């Protein structure tokens, strides 16, 4: 009974973490949707707020920048280790049929990229998960070597990019003409993404070493029982490193460091902050505390994480792009911040309500169920009754 109760609390914490990561990712991406030039304008720095809203926008963007994406990446690593342990308990080889699961996630991501979101993360996670699934078959020492090498490669690449940005002359952003986000049809945007697929997928390749490292960090932290009551020292060390040290540095880099500081924060300090966030959430539930209203709301989103991630981008696309309601084209420097805040609140509330209503009747989100059924068909797992644990629905 004690073991079952402990597992229940551990998985409750994981669901809250996933939910926080999904809504936090929305808090980052929402500014891309409300930019009249979409991702291109967001990168070029157009569509900025004016007057008293300018510092509010800067702080809100920096609050979410990279941190919840890092948390989501770590959670994928946790999910991967849970799947490996589930396979081992059932006497199945690992990675066994996992490449099929990664392939299905890659397909989900490719469709998501083309139809709705050029900054999709699912394709990158599918590739990273496939690599790390095989790394997890090695010993702990080998995994640590992989982690150290991945961090080293990422640090070297990040250093080169930051140095280039620091020495590059300032340039004026060029308007996007024609602008498919504001003036194009749904199909125009699909073609635009297909025509610029290499440009839009550069980040996936750039952060691949970092993603591998964070997947392995997530797996190792879960293996080190970071969620258990007796691992308070480990959680406190992570909170000090992530929230007391990395978080202030991250804000300083993002707010005052220009483009170079923003990149250094997003891909340097933000992942460390993510570790502090994970530790803080884990610490709250380590003693067996039941989720309160906020925790239950996040848990529903976390249990349907893949579905909620795709749904939030579909909803924002409909509201913001020209083929939908065209909100982004109607905003200006005085209205972009309050409109973005309202949109974030509305979409978040929709995800919370829809996920809770769905879970009253089903134990998986719709995309989680579809992916799981596809995996069963591809691996013929349904013939012997083998099922993957619900907590590992993402990845």
């Amino acid at each position: 009974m004690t073991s079952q109760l402990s597992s229940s609390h551990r998985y409750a914490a994981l669901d809250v973490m996933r939910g926080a990561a999904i809504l936090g990712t929305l808090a980052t991406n929402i500014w891309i949707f409300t930019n009249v030039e979409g991702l291109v304008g967001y990168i070029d720095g157009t569509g900025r707020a004016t007057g008293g809203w300018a510092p509010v926008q800067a702080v809100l963007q920096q609050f979410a920048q990279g941190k919840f994406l890092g948390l989501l990446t770590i959670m994928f690593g946790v999910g991967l280790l849970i799947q490996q342990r589930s396979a081992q308990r059932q006497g199945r080889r690992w990675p066994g049929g996992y490449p099929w699961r990664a392939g299905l996630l890659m397909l989900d991501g490719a469709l998501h990229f083309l139809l709705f979101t050029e900054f999709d993360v699912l394709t990158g996670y599918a590739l990273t998960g496939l690599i790390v699934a095989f790394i997890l078959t090695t010993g702990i020492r080998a995994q640590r070597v992989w982690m150290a090498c991945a961090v080293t490669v990422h640090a070297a690449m990040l250093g080169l990019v930051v140095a280039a940005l620091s020495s590059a002359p300032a340039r004026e952003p060029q308007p996007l003409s024609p602008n498919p986000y504001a003036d194009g049809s749904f199909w125009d945007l699909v073609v635009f993404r297909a025509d610029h697929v290499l440009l839009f997928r550069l980040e996936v390749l750039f952060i691949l070493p970092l993603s591998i490292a964070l997947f392995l960090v997530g797996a190792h932290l879960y293996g080190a029982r970071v969620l258990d009551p007796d691992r308070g020292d480990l959680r406190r060390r992570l909170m000090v490193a992530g929230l007391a040290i990395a978080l202030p540095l991250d804000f300083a880099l993002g707010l005052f460091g220009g483009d170079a500081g923003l990149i250094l924060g997003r891909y340097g300090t933000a992942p460390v902050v993510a570790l502090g966030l994970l530790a803080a959430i884990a610490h709250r539930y380590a003693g067996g505390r039941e989720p309160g209203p906020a925790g239950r709301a996040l848990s529903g989103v976390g249990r349907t994480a893949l579905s909620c991630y795709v749904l939030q981008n579909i909803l924002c696309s409909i509201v913001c792009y020209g083929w939908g309601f065209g909100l982004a084209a109607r905003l200006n420097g005085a209205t972009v911040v309050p409109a973005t805040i309202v949109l974030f609140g509305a979409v978040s509330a929709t995800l919370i309500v829809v996920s809770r209503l769905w879970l009253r009747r089903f134990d998986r989100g719709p995309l989680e169920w579809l992916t799981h059924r596809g995996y069963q068909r591809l691996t013929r797992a349904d013939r012997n009754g083998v099922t993957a644990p619900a907590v590992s629905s993402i990845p």
Side-chain angles (χ1 to χ4, degrees):
M1 180 66 179
T2 302
S3 175
Q4 292 177 348
L5 186 61
S6 178
S7 290
S8 174
H9 288 308
R10 285 200 297 270
Y11 292 148
L14 292 176
D15 289 336
V16 173
M17 292 175 194
R18 287 192 186 93
I22 293 297
L23 294 188
T25 303
L26 173 62
T28 302
N29 296 341
I30 196 80
W31 300 99
I32 303 175
F33 285 111
T34 55
N35 190 302
V36 68
E37 295 182 345
L39 180 60
V40 177
Y42 181 79
I43 293 173
D44 283 345
T46 61
R48 299 284 187 180
T50 56
W53 287 114
V56 176
Q57 182 186 46
V59 170
L60 289 177
Q61 288 183 342
Q62 190 58 33
F63 172 77
Q65 185 69 256
K67 302 164 188 63
F68 294 98
L69 178 62
L71 179 59
L72 186 62
T73 308
I74 294 168
M75 296 311 300
F76 262 80
V78 171
L80 201 58
L81 182 63
I82 292 174
Q83 290 183 66
Q84 182 193 37
R85 289 184 171 181
S86 174
Q88 291 172 342
R89 284 195 303 269
Q90 298 178 42
R92 292 184 284 121
R93 293 183 301 109
W94 178 263
Y98 181 81
W100 287 112
R101 188 181 292 275
L104 289 170
L105 187 63
M106 180 70 74
L107 177 61
D108 288 343
L111 292 174
H112 186 231
F113 166 82
L114 284 172
L115 298 178
F116 297 104
T117 313
E118 58 272 18
F119 42 90
D120 163 76
V121 300
L122 299 179
T123 50
Y125 285 166
L127 176 60
T128 307
L130 185 60
I131 295 171
V132 175
F134 286 93
I135 295 177
L136 290 179
T137 64
T138 65
I140 295 296
R141 180 175 296 180
Q143 293 175 31
R144 289 174 178 168
V145 171
W146 272 96
M147 195 185 310
C149 290
V151 169
T152 301
V153 171
H154 173 70
M157 294 170 58
L158 181 60
L160 290 174
V161 172
V162 169
L165 288 173
S166 299
S167 58
R171 64 180 182 85
E172 288 294 324
Q174 298 297 318
L176 186 61
S177 180
N179 182 358
Y181 296 100
D183 306 318
S185 65
F186 180 90
W187 181 249
D188 289 334
L189 262 179
V190 171
V191 173
F192 180 73
R193 294 183 187 109
D195 286 344
H196 298 83
V197 62
L198 293 180
L199 175 64
F200 288 143
R201 297 288 81 189
L202 276 179
E203 185 186 41
V204 171
L205 299 177
F206 173 69
I207 66 172
L208 181 60
L210 175 63
S211 297
I212 291 173
L214 291 179
F215 266 54
L216 289 171
V217 166
H220 276 247
L221 286 176
Y222 188 78
R225 301 183 297 109
V226 69
L227 305 180
D228 287 3
D230 60 347
R231 298 315 306 269
D233 287 345
L234 173 59
R235 292 190 296 272
R236 280 188 285 272
R237 289 198 298 271
L238 291 173
M239 284 188 282
V240 168
L243 303 181
I245 299 175
L247 184 59
L249 179 59
D250 178 85
F251 265 82
L253 287 170
L255 296 178
F256 308 112
D259 290 342
L262 183 66
I263 294 298
L264 185 57
R266 178 178 173 87
Y267 302 112
T269 55
V272 183
V273 176
L275 291 173
L277 293 172
L278 180 148
I281 296 173
H283 202 68
R284 177 175 178 82
Y285 296 103
R289 179 182 298 180
E290 294 289 341
R296 289 193 296 272
L298 290 174
S299 294
V301 175
R303 288 177 59 191
T304 57
L306 178 60
S307 298
C308 283
Y309 172 70
V310 173
L311 178 60
Q312 70 186 24
N313 294 325
I314 293 175
L315 293 175
C316 289
S317 297
I318 293 172
V319 172
C320 294
Y321 292 155
W323 59 262
F325 299 148
L327 173 66
R330 298 187 177 94
L331 301 178
N332 56 43
T335 60
V336 63
V337 172
T340 303
I341 293 173
V342 170
L343 180 61
F344 172 77
V347 174
S348 298
T350 300
L351 297 180
I352 291 169
V353 171
V354 169
S355 64
R356 294 191 68 177
L357 291 175
W358 181 271
L359 290 171
R360 288 181 180 178
R361 297 195 60 183
F362 307 99
D363 62 350
R364 298 175 188 265
L367 285 182
E368 285 82 357
W369 178 86
L370 187 62
T371 301
H372 180 65
R373 289 301 297 167
Y375 173 74
Q376 285 186 317
R377 294 297 184 187
L378 289 169
T379 62
R380 302 185 185 276
D382 51 339
R383 289 188 176 181
N384 55 24
V386 173
T387 58
V391 293
S392 60
S393 57
I394 185 166

